Amino acid sequence: MTILETSWVQGNDREIEELVRLVNEAIALELNASRLYALFQDLFPDDGEFWQALSIEEENHANLLRNGRRLFLPEGRFPRELLPESLEPLVEKNRELESLFDRYEQTPPSREEAFRTALVLEESAGELHYQRAMESRAPSWTLKVFQTLNNDDRDHATRLRDYMAAEGIAE
């Protein structure tokens, strides 16, 4: 198998449909993360620049996935490493985030809760797969394209921990 063949390759209609659903749910997760961080930016202006950077990066991740869906998926070259094996963890995390938005509209979180919530999010299935794919040695040219375009928009969990430590916020 060559480096060009290590990405997901076209299968039957059901496999393709499942991959499309996974990509769409991963895009939704990135957009929900961006929305959450934008909310935290508004709620905690002293940390506004930090939250804004994360929000923008999550939006960029969503755009990368959208472009991958458009350009690579029809050719059967979407890098499968970016996604968890099943749809369930992505759906579950997106539902959880939607519930958080409703709750935070009624009762905003404390600053500490915001950071802990972000850390849990960054260590969830969809975000963790994306991060690991960005850190890995690319087995395919399509993943290499994603890594190059992603550039330095990564290591969110580490950056959260570092920021929390510098600010005296306990995990």
Side-chain angles (χ1 to χ4, degrees):
M1 192 177 268
T2 70
I3 196 165
L4 295 176
E5 296 170 336
T6 58
S7 292
W8 177 83
V9 291
Q10 289 189 7
N12 63 40
D13 288 345
R14 184 176 176 161
E15 290 170 338
I16 294 167
E17 182 179 310
E18 181 68 14
L19 183 61
V20 169
R21 292 177 64 207
L22 275 166
V23 173
N24 289 342
E25 204 65 37
I27 291 168
L29 180 61
E30 299 294 345
L31 293 173
N32 278 330
S34 176
R35 180 178 162 202
L36 183 68
Y37 299 156
L39 173 65
F40 292 165
Q41 177 187 357
D42 291 342
L43 291 173
F44 308 104
D46 289 346
D47 305 309
E49 287 182 31
F50 180 79
W51 291 121
Q52 181 182 37
L54 291 181
S55 178
I56 290 168
E57 290 174 18
E58 296 294 354
E59 182 77 31
N60 289 342
H61 297 169
N63 287 330
L64 283 173
L65 290 169
R66 280 186 190 120
N67 287 328
R69 179 184 60 196
R70 182 176 54 83
L71 297 171
F72 298 131
L73 204 141
E75 296 179 3
R77 298 271 177 227
F78 190 90
R80 189 65 178 81
E81 301 89 347
L82 291 170
L83 305 168
E85 290 301 313
S86 72
L87 189 62
E88 189 175 320
L90 294 172
V91 170
E92 185 177 305
K93 185 52 74 174
N94 278 318
R95 282 188 194 142
E96 182 183 318
L97 287 171
E98 290 296 331
S99 175
L100 271 179
F101 294 132
D102 292 341
R103 191 173 94 209
Y104 288 167
E105 280 182 18
Q106 302 300 317
T107 308
S110 68
R111 181 176 182 236
E112 292 77 14
E113 182 183 353
F115 277 98
R116 285 191 286 275
T117 298
L119 192 56
V120 168
L121 171 59
E122 290 299 333
E123 293 176 338
S124 69
E127 290 293 316
L128 196 56
H129 274 85
Y130 189 92
Q131 176 62 32
R132 286 182 181 156
M134 290 302 120
E135 293 173 342
S136 71
R137 183 173 167 267
S140 67
W141 68 271
T142 52
L143 182 56
K144 185 68 177 163
V145 168
F146 273 85
Q147 289 173 337
T148 301
L149 293 174
N150 193 69
N151 199 9
D152 292 326
D153 293 355
R154 59 185 183 174
D155 300 321
H156 290 180
T158 300
R159 288 166 48 203
L160 276 159
R161 280 193 174 89
D162 291 348
Y163 191 92
M164 291 168 72
E167 294 290 315
I169 300 169
E171 284 187 43

